[in-house]
Amino acid sequence: MDGSPAPVDRPQSVGVQPQDLVSPLTGLGQIMFQDSPSTGAFFLAGIAIASPLMAAGAALAVVVGTLVAYLLRYDRSDIRDGLYGFNAGLVGIALLFNYEPQGLIFVLIIV
């Protein structure tokens, strides 16, 4: 024994729950440290007013980040809290801010 605690077996709910559908918006809300999908929607709307292209990049990135967390079977409560989407959303915005929008940038956002 190395003294580390035993892993906790957390039951995962099966199927898509209503909270799962708003997880990407919650992830965008987490950029402003708010665990709220409505904050994420307002934040996305604000980005869209300033730059529709950056809003598309943020939305694409946060959806991909959230889907990857579901596919890797991370803890659903953490996913629903937006913990796997906010950083992806920031990366989507940063890539489009720093580089010319082209197909490769959107591939990088997805990857």
Side-chain angles (χ1 to χ4, degrees), residues 20-90:
D20 297 332
L21 300 177
V22 296
S23 294
L25 288 176
T26 306
L28 286 172
Q30 285 287 3
I31 293 173
M32 295 298 204
F33 305 109
Q34 300 297 314
D35 184 15
S36 167
S38 59
T39 302
F42 284 121
F43 189 55
L44 186 61
I47 296 169
I49 290 170
S51 172
L53 185 62
M54 285 191 196
L60 176 63
V62 75
V63 167
V64 169
T66 302
L67 285 176
V68 167
Y70 278 117
L71 290 173
L72 295 176
R73 296 185 179 188
Y74 288 162
D75 184 45
R76 281 212 172 187
S77 65
D78 288 346
I79 298 170
R80 290 176 181 154
D81 287 341
L83 299 182
Y84 299 102
F86 78 94
N87 198 30
L90 289 171

